[in-house]
Amino acid sequence: MQGKGLITIVAIVLGLICLNELLPTWYASKIEKQATAIAGDNPEKYQKEIARLSKDTLNLGFTKLYYTKAKDKEMKLGLDLKGGINVLLEINQRDLVNDLTNYSTNPILIEALNKTDEAQKNSTKPYIDNFFEQFDVVNKAKGANLKLADPEIFGNTTLTEVKYNTPDEQVKSIVKRKIDASVGTAFEVIRTRIDKLGAIQPNVQRVPGTARISVEMPGMKDIDKVKKMLQTSAKLQFWEVQQVPEIAPYFQTLTTMVAAKGDSMGVAKNVNFMNLLQLDKLRSNGVASVKLSDTAVVNKILNSKVAQSLRPANIKYTQFMWGYKPEATDAESLVLYAIRGNINQKAPVDGAVETANIGYDELSRVVVDMQMDSKGAKEWKTLTEKNVGKPVAVTLDNRVYTAPNVVGAIPNGRTQISGNFSQEEAKELVDVLGAGKLPAGAKVVQATVVGPSLGQEAIDSGLMSFLIAFAIIIVYIIFYYGGAGVYAVIAMVINLFYIFGIMDSGDFTLTLPGIAGIVLTMAVAVDTNVIIYERTKEELFAGKSILEAYKDGFKHALNAIIDGHTTTFLTAVVLFFFGTGPIKGFALTLMIGIAMTLFTSVLLSRVMIFSRLNKGKGLSVWTPATKNLFRNTWIDFIGKRKYAYIISAVLTVVCIISIATHGFKYGIDFTGGRNYVVRFDKDVKAEDIEEKLVALFKTEDGKNSSVEAKTFGNNKQLKISTDYLIQDESLKADQIIEQKLFEGLKSNLPAGTTLKDFKSADKDHAGIISSEKVGPSVADDIQTHGIYAVLAALAMIFIYILVRFRKWQFSLGAVAALFHDAVIILGAYSLLHKYMPFNMEINQDFIAAILTVLGYSINDTVIIFDRIREYLREKKSLTLAGLFDDSISSTLGRTFNTSFTTILVILAIFIFGGDNLRGFMFAMLIGIGFGTYSSIFIASAIAYDFLKTGKEEEVHGRSTSAKEELASK
């Protein structure tokens, strides 16, 4: 065999590389198991044991293994396997544009920005592209003929590259470059902050073409701390403060107005605004001391359009800001401050901090000492000189940390923040300030939290499904193909070893869908061997020697294998580029698996088989029980196609009607919202829980928000979804929802459960074991990308089939079959989502399942089309109908074996692979079944109907050529 030596060398080298990459994972796991065996559940003892065992080394001759280095190099596990936090941060691009225009108040600019904000809600375009479009629209509508290089737009001291006569297209290019650089700066700041959080194996990536940053931190538990650390812009500002005498008349006016027009301000008329302010309890430089429970009402009143219109000249630009936390003297209230603003709301001092450290004041209270940069120091000196004897507020992200009276001018840029800090709070503030200032605000638009216990369960269930699927495949393939099946199993084991090694060497993250991708790869590997062995059997039945039969079997199977693998690979590529998060992991493992399957099952397996055969040893390709299975099977498929058309038409119509009338249950990644998986210590009824929560989740106008509670896995677990506060992506909104959820479920939780326990449940406590948040803008992007992914996959498959088979009729048949399969799956989800005891939402996992099914279905179709193409060349005497029937019948062994083993594998994952994968696998089960059916009765039948000439007479029954072949055997 040509290239035998090269293939052997590549296999050995690749094996050594994978071994070297996987050894650290094995060694780190070995040390951790030893530590656990000694320490048990005692975390402190565990850390001591790890420290002790870390001093040991393992010398293997070619390498030395140390625990600390091995831990750094071990295979990364995704959140669904390890637990942890994943957030998608979006940098506020309006802030970036404002900064580049030097906070211009030009009305055309402001209107364009407002319209851009609205357009972004339903757009997948970058913010800045939408802004330029809206600017042109507003500019023309106003007849202003304003250039982007105008001093009131981008032609200012901030952008020195922009001159007055710089063309608009050039300005756009400069602005885009600056914004991209700012997002890059934000990326570096975020990465520095994550390092300070102490996350193990964090994964921080920019999302190409957007102002978004993906952050994954396995093992982290405190989501509030993470969100706060990542979202804080560290925009430290210093403002002048207005006091009660200036603001009190305005508050009196609002008190009267609330009594008269409270409903138009969003509050009840009987609310006494002045009483809410508790001026008699005020002990600081603020203008009110408001109970924590009343802050939302006060915000509503102050931010209402009525209140804004009543502002007198002296407080036209005043910003009302809350204190960072309650004062030590009153833990139940927050101080409200009146910050003296200006037309562009630019702070008098807005300097970056050079250094920040924890210190102590004269009363030994924790404070934060800071040194400003040179620009900030100069501005700080001017501000303190101007306000001696008056208060100055120190704010961070529009929260007032302190507002002391200025004793004297501060010339050197040194200052101190005191805010009733705990040691931990001061450290968090120092870490944020020390990591640097974000160029703009950031918000969490998507977040996933998986508890460590759920992660361990996912590992256990994933491993269980993997082992069961692998055992099924081994038993079946050896039972069906005998000795040849043993070589197939050996090739599969090597294939798996390569996949894990390549993933580890590429620093890729293994996820639960990734494990599903690997299991599906095993099914693809089985398919490859089935194609080869079925062709080899045909050659043996034709009277060839065992050596010649294997040679021709590999030769004739190659085209079908390449076509099938290419279409599946293309589908995986589409998934990788259009999918997000875990779906990328699924696609990545599938791509690596397909490539390795070609190498191991086609090239390496061939080397092993022919090494045996060339020594004169035999190698069976069947067992007595399977030798003649499907050998004499012949079915008049073409003659029965009209019945299939009727069945498919009825099913398609039913599915379309259901889709039109019942619709779907969309997941939050398509609609936006929040999901919580809550575990209880006893059985609960989803209907009762949902009823309790609906009463709590009411909007400001008193309407009920969407709330759904559904059993998830077992009767002690619920998946709770809501779109309450869907437009509010702040940390505060997350905390409000978690508080309401806790209140609604408290009676079903063990006595003594606290909010903190509830938010971070583990295997021994009831509470939230995983949560997910998707903002509306991200949901819109995911939905759009999902549609693009399906269309792109269909287009790629159509073009590939057209190029390979050179007849549009084959492409039409293939795409029609894929459309048929997609409609059937969608219809099943529409009909059954209310009744199935597992998740049947339309989400990005479902899109991945659809695309995977399309890849499988086209693979099946290609095998039949390849045989039709072969027979078109070799069997000229046959009628077209007879030729199609012979082609489909001759591939029945392959069709059955591949579909049967794939369905068994998917059933193993469906039953044992965990709750998160059941909906995904259900779609796969339906798809594989109907994919096999459509390859025969839709794809082939439509190709036949469009290929045949009007004069041709159909053959019903075995063709003459086929009968002669059978008689000769």
Side-chain angles (χ1 to χ4, degrees):
M1 174 193 164
Q2 291 181 342
K4 173 184 175 182
L6 178 62
I7 293 168
T8 304
I9 290 170
V10 171
I12 292 171
V13 171
L14 189 57
L16 290 174
I17 291 171
C18 291
L19 180 64
N20 186 60
E21 293 296 332
L22 290 171
L23 277 173
T25 301
W26 165 79
Y27 187 70
S29 176
K30 175 176 174 286
I31 293 294
E32 287 166 2
K33 284 180 180 176
Q34 288 177 358
T36 302
I38 297 169
D41 293 329
N42 188 325
E44 291 181 6
K45 193 174 179 182
Y46 174 82
Q47 290 302 327
K48 286 180 181 177
E49 287 301 319
I50 286 289
R52 182 180 66 82
L53 293 168
S54 296
K55 296 173 184 176
D56 297 336
T57 62
L58 181 63
N59 191 342
L60 297 174
F62 62 91
T63 185
K64 286 184 178 181
L65 294 173
Y66 305 82
Y67 174 75
T68 49
K69 288 186 178 179
K71 190 66 181 173
D72 289 338
K73 291 185 67 179
E74 73 174 348
M75 180 177 284
K76 289 183 177 178
L77 298 180
L79 299 188
D80 47 7
L81 294 177
K82 196 171 185 178
I85 298 167
N86 178 286
V87 296
L88 185 64
L89 284 170
E90 186 169 73
I91 306 301
N92 189 325
Q93 292 184 81
R94 177 167 183 154
D95 286 355
L96 296 178
V97 173
N98 276 330
D99 187 55
L100 292 175
T101 62
N102 204 20
Y103 293 88
S104 170
T105 55
N106 183 284
I108 290 175
L109 173 70
I110 300 299
E111 187 175 344
L113 285 169
N114 290 337
K115 286 183 175 292
T116 304
D117 290 343
E118 286 300 314
Q120 276 295 107
K121 294 177 182 177
N122 299 300
S123 173
T124 57
K125 287 183 181 179
Y127 185 95
I128 194 62
D129 288 342
N130 268 329
F131 167 74
F132 288 137
E133 286 181 11
Q134 296 301 328
F135 182 83
D136 288 340
V137 170
V138 176
N139 205 8
K140 287 176 183 176
K142 302 288 185 183
N145 200 27
L146 196 63
K147 291 181 65 182
L148 290 173
D150 189 280
E152 290 193 19
I153 311 300
F154 294 110
N156 55 67
T157 54
T158 305
L159 279 174
T160 55
E161 298 171 65
V162 177
K163 310 301 180 187
Y164 186 74
N165 58 350
T166 304
D168 278 1
E169 288 306 313
Q170 193 175 336
V171 175
K172 289 178 182 180
S173 177
I174 293 169
V175 170
K176 285 181 180 180
R177 191 171 67 250
K178 289 286 186 182
I179 284 181
D180 188 64
S182 294
V183 177
T185 301
F187 173 76
E188 294 301 328
V189 172
I190 293 296
R191 194 158 60 178
T192 304
R193 291 183 184 179
I194 288 168
D195 290 341
K196 291 181 180 294
L197 279 168
I200 299 171
Q201 291 186 324
N203 184 16
V204 189
Q205 294 180 332
R206 285 187 62 179
V207 180
T210 70
R212 291 172 182 165
I213 299 169
S214 174
V215 180
E216 187 171 280
M217 288 165 285
M220 294 296 289
K221 299 178 183 179
D222 194 341
I223 181 64
D224 287 352
K225 180 178 178 179
V226 170
K227 285 181 180 178
K228 183 179 176 183
M229 188 74 162
L230 297 182
Q231 286 183 271
T232 301
S233 70
K235 188 166 67 175
L236 192 69
Q237 296 175 322
F238 299 79
W239 302 84
E240 294 180 348
V241 178
Q242 295 171 276
Q243 294 188 278
V244 173
E246 271 189 278
I247 307 297
Y250 174 59
F251 284 168
Q252 289 287 359
T253 303
L254 288 183
T255 303
T256 304
M257 190 55 65
V258 169
K261 295 185 176 181
D263 50 355
S264 62
M265 302 171 81
V267 297
K269 290 182 180 180
N270 61 356
V271 170
N272 189 316
F273 181 62
M274 194 58 75
N275 284 350
L276 296 180
L277 302 179
Q278 301 185 111
L279 296 180
D280 57 318
K281 295 179 66 176
L282 192 59
R283 300 289 183 271
S284 66
N285 285 321
V287 291
S289 177
V290 182
K291 287 182 180 177
L292 291 170
S293 57
D294 292 331
T295 53
V297 177
V298 171
N299 277 334
K300 227 179 266 187
I301 294 169
L302 292 175
N303 295 328
S304 67
K305 289 182 179 179
V306 175
Q308 297 286 336
S309 66
L310 292 171
R311 286 193 175 199
N314 68 318
I315 62 168
K316 183 175 181 182
Y317 301 113
T318 295
Q319 299 180 69
F320 289 103
M321 295 185 190
W322 294 103
Y324 158 68
K325 62 183 290 189
E327 300 283 301
T329 54
D330 186 359
E332 299 299 321
S333 301
L334 271 184
V335 175
L336 181 68
Y337 293 86
I339 303 301
R340 193 183 302 281
N342 48 58
I343 190 169
N344 57 12
Q345 296 297 6
K346 195 170 184 180
V349 182
D350 193 356
V353 176
E354 285 188 342
T355 60
N357 299 288
I358 296 175
Y360 300 90
D361 64 10
E362 62 279 1
L363 298 176
S364 297
R365 293 174 300 190
V366 178
V367 296
V368 174
D369 292 317
M370 299 179 308
Q371 175 62 53
M372 296 182 188
D373 60 17
S374 57
K375 178 176 177 290
K378 289 176 185 177
E379 292 171 343
W380 184 225
K381 180 184 177 184
T382 302
L383 183 63
T384 52
E385 281 178 340
K386 182 182 174 184
N387 288 278
V388 173
K390 298 177 183 177
V392 169
V394 182
T395 70
L396 186 71
D397 294 343
N398 297 323
R399 287 275 182 174
V400 178
Y401 275 68
T402 185
N405 289 321
V406 177
V407 177
I410 303 173
N412 56 10
R414 293 193 66 82
T415 191
Q416 192 177 80
I417 304 178
S418 58
N420 186 26
F421 298 123
S422 66
Q423 189 81 20
E424 186 180 354
E425 289 169 337
K427 184 183 181 303
E428 287 178 13
L429 180 57
V430 166
D431 285 344
V432 170
L433 293 173
K437 181 175 71 171
L438 286 176
K443 60 181 178 180
V444 173
V445 293
Q446 186 176 1
T448 304
V449 183
V450 180
S453 61
L454 191 62
Q456 186 58 50
E457 288 169 14
I459 291 177
D460 295 341
S461 59
L463 187 61
M464 175 67 75
S465 66
F466 179 84
L467 292 174
I468 291 173
F470 193 52
I472 289 170
I473 288 174
I474 289 174
V475 170
Y476 186 81
I477 202 164
I478 293 177
F479 161 75
Y480 202 92
Y481 291 110
V486 174
Y487 279 88
V489 170
I490 293 170
M492 243 190 308
V493 171
I494 297 172
N495 188 5
L496 291 172
F497 179 67
Y498 286 163
I499 291 171
F500 284 112
I502 289 169
M503 289 196 69
D504 201 1
S505 64
D507 210 25
F508 303 129
T509 302
L510 181 65
T511 62
L512 193 58
I515 290 177
I518 292 171
V519 174
L520 194 62
T521 295
M522 292 196 301
V524 172
V526 169
D527 182 43
T528 303
N529 287 290
V530 166
I531 295 169
I532 294 168
Y533 296 158
E534 287 297 317
R535 290 307 300 248
T536 301
K537 284 169 71 175
E538 289 180 30
E539 303 302 331
L540 284 170
F541 288 139
K544 293 181 181 179
S545 68
I546 187 73
L547 187 61
E548 289 300 315
Y550 269 106
K551 282 182 180 178
D552 288 344
F554 274 97
K555 177 184 173 183
H556 293 145
L558 191 59
N559 277 342
I561 290 170
I562 289 173
D563 287 338
H565 280 57
T566 301
T567 49
T568 306
F569 190 85
L570 289 174
T571 305
V573 169
V574 170
L575 267 177
F576 184 78
F577 282 102
F578 287 99
T580 58
I583 300 308
K584 280 186 180 289
F586 173 79
L588 182 67
T589 52
L590 195 56
M591 285 191 287
I592 294 171
I594 289 167
M596 287 300 98
T597 296
L598 279 172
F599 178 73
T600 56
S601 296
V602 178
L603 299 178
L604 190 58
S605 177
R606 180 171 179 157
V607 168
M608 291 189 292
I609 287 172
F610 280 99
S611 292
R612 178 183 177 87
L613 295 176
N614 287 330
K615 292 175 184 176
K617 297 179 180 179
L619 186 64
S620 64
V621 75
W622 54 58
T623 61
T626 61
K627 179 178 180 180
N628 292 311
L629 279 179
F630 301 106
R631 184 182 175 190
N632 299 320
T633 304
W634 190 94
I635 299 172
D636 180 17
F637 292 104
I638 295 301
K640 295 177 173 59
R641 73 189 188 285
K642 291 176 182 175
Y643 300 110
Y645 283 162
I646 293 170
I647 292 169
S648 291
V650 170
L651 286 174
T652 302
V653 169
V654 169
C655 288
I656 290 172
I657 290 172
S658 177
I659 292 167
T661 55
H662 295 154
F664 302 106
K665 171 67 175 79
Y666 289 103
I668 64 165
D669 44 4
F670 270 27
T671 61
R674 293 171 175 86
N675 273 342
Y676 300 90
V677 176
V678 183
R679 179 172 292 169
F680 300 86
D681 64 335
K682 55 190 176 184
D683 289 356
V684 292
K685 288 186 178 180
E687 301 81 15
D688 296 343
I689 297 293
E690 187 173 310
E691 191 176 335
K692 288 181 186 178
L693 295 177
V694 166
L696 285 172
F697 288 94
K698 288 184 181 292
T699 56
E700 292 179 359
D701 56 6
K703 292 182 180 177
N704 290 335
S705 296
S706 170
V707 180
E708 182 187 69
K710 190 167 184 177
T711 301
F712 189 72
N714 59 65
N715 291 331
K716 291 182 180 179
Q717 278 186 182
L718 292 180
K719 185 174 186 179
I720 299 168
S721 306
T722 180
D723 62 1
Y724 182 67
L725 297 181
I726 187 174
Q727 298 295 337
D728 190 343
E729 294 164 337
S730 67
L731 173 60
K732 185 69 176 174
D734 296 339
Q735 292 171 336
I736 289 171
I737 292 172
E738 287 163 353
Q739 177 69 45
K740 285 181 175 289
L741 199 60
F742 176 62
E743 290 171 9
L745 301 178
K746 198 169 184 179
S747 60
N748 297 93
L749 297 171
T753 302
T754 64
L755 177 61
K756 185 178 179 181
D757 294 334
F758 175 71
K759 288 169 65 174
S760 55
D762 56 34
K763 62 181 179 181
D764 298 320
H765 296 93
I768 298 172
I769 56 173
S770 76
S771 64
E772 184 181 12
K773 176 178 86 170
V774 180
S777 60
V778 176
D780 186 66
D781 290 351
I782 291 172
Q783 191 171 15
T784 303
H785 288 160
I787 294 168
Y788 286 165
V790 174
L791 293 177
L794 289 173
M796 288 169 69
I797 289 169
F798 183 92
I799 292 168
Y800 182 80
I801 298 295
L802 184 62
V803 170
R804 286 293 288 156
F805 294 94
R806 301 184 184 281
K807 290 182 184 292
W808 62 266
Q809 292 91 339
F810 284 118
S811 291
L812 179 65
V815 173
L818 297 183
F819 176 78
H820 167 273
D821 297 342
V823 170
I824 295 295
I825 298 171
L826 286 166
Y829 268 60
S830 174
L831 286 164
L832 302 175
H833 71 83
K834 293 180 181 178
Y835 310 108
M836 288 295 183
F838 50 84
N839 178 32
M840 290 191 71
E841 295 175 346
I842 303 295
N843 52 26
Q844 57 181 335
D845 289 356
F846 176 81
I847 295 295
I850 285 276
L851 288 174
T852 307
V853 165
L854 297 188
Y856 175 88
S857 182
I858 196 63
N859 193 0
D860 214 19
T861 302
V862 161
I863 299 300
I864 296 172
F865 281 2
D866 188 73
R867 187 60 64 93
I868 292 169
R869 178 176 58 184
E870 182 183 330
Y871 282 8
L872 281 170
R873 291 194 300 264
E874 297 175 0
K875 299 190 175 186
K876 302 291 185 183
S877 61
L878 285 184
T879 62
L880 191 63
L883 186 146
F884 267 68
D885 284 336
D886 282 3
S887 300
I888 300 169
S889 297
S890 66
T891 57
L892 276 180
R894 178 265 164 197
T895 300
F896 172 81
N897 281 327
T898 300
S899 298
F900 183 66
T901 52
T902 304
I903 286 173
L904 286 178
V905 165
I906 292 171
L907 269 174
I909 305 174
F910 179 79
I911 296 169
F912 302 103
D915 301 319
N916 288 330
L917 285 176
R918 287 211 170 90
F920 181 94
M921 286 301 141
F922 185 72
M924 294 278 288
L925 280 173
I926 299 171
I928 298 302
F930 277 96
T932 303
Y933 161 84
S934 68
S935 295
I936 297 171
F937 289 105
I938 304 298
S940 301
I942 288 177
Y944 166 78
D945 278 325
F946 281 90
L947 277 169
K948 73 175 182 177
T949 60
K951 300 175 182 177
E952 178 170 343
E953 181 182 347
E954 292 181 9
V955 176
H956 299 288
R958 192 186 298 274
S959 67
T960 304
S961 231
K963 287 177 182 177
E964 289 171 356
E965 282 185 20
L966 182 63
S968 68
K969 293 177 182 177

